[in-house]
Amino acid sequence: MIEIDNDVQHEVLKSIKEKKDNLHKAHLEVIKSEASQSVKRMIELASEKGSSSWLTSLPLQQYGFRLNKQEFHDALCLRYDFRIKDAPRHCAMCMWRCFQCRTLSNLQEGRICGTKT
């Protein structure tokens, strides 16, 4: 019967994990050095603690965590700076150019695009 020393096994696994972590960190630094500013910012945001918690939260209606398919798709597009499919380029009411960040902040303030309430 073969006996396994748990302490030695633990140390070997720990060493392998450290090497793998160092390799991943080195790859990340190479990617960051070659990436544009917007990609670097996306990497920083995605690396923050809790940045993906909205993806794993329970879809509770009372807290506004329940998203339909379109809302989920739009949230991913906003998160990763992709263009939202079928989003208007100009506001139908005021004809100002719509930008995703401005439109969202205006909706939170109770305005539609560039109009005042």
Side-chain angles (χ1 to χ4, degrees), residues 39-57:
V39 172
K40 286 179 189 177
R41 180 72 180 137
M42 284 193 282
I43 290 171
E44 289 172 13
L45 289 173
S47 301
E48 288 179 358
K49 185 174 181 172
S51 64
S52 63
S53 62
W54 69 276
L55 286 170
T56 58
S57 65

Side-chain angles (χ1 to χ4, degrees), residues 56-84:
T56 58
S57 65
L58 292 174
L60 301 174
Q61 182 70 35
Q62 67 189 37
Y63 298 112
F65 294 156
R66 184 177 225 155
L67 302 176
N68 64 34
K69 185 177 179 180
Q70 184 64 50
E71 291 170 335
F72 182 77
H73 182 268
D74 292 348
L76 286 176
C77 288
L78 289 171
R79 174 84 169 101
Y80 295 107
D81 200 26
F82 297 139
R83 177 155 166 65
I84 295 177

Side-chain angles (χ1 to χ4, degrees), residues 13 15 29 32 35 40 47 51 57 64-65 67 72 77 79 85-86 90 92-93 97 100 104 107 111 113:
L13 290 174
S15 171
E29 290 305 317
K32 280 184 177 180
K40 286 179 189 177
S47 301
S51 64
S57 65
F65 294 156
L67 302 176
F72 182 77
C77 288
R79 174 84 169 101
K85 182 181 176 184
D86 298 328
H90 295 86
M93 294 181 74
R97 186 166 173 83
Q100 293 166 348
L104 283 180
L107 284 175
R111 292 185 284 157
C113 218

Side-chain angles (χ1 to χ4, degrees), residues 3-44:
E3 278 194 36
I4 298 174
D5 187 354
N6 288 336
D7 293 335
V8 172
Q9 183 182 16
H10 180 70
E11 289 300 318
V12 169
L13 290 174
K14 186 177 175 182
S15 171
I16 291 170
K17 185 180 182 314
E18 285 177 6
K19 288 179 183 177
K20 191 163 66 168
D21 286 346
N22 290 337
L23 181 64
H24 288 160
K25 287 177 185 176
H27 282 286
L28 181 61
E29 290 305 317
V30 168
I31 290 170
K32 280 184 177 180
S33 69
E34 297 174 359
S36 66
Q37 282 299 114
S38 62
V39 172
K40 286 179 189 177
R41 180 72 180 137
M42 284 193 282
I43 290 171
E44 289 172 13

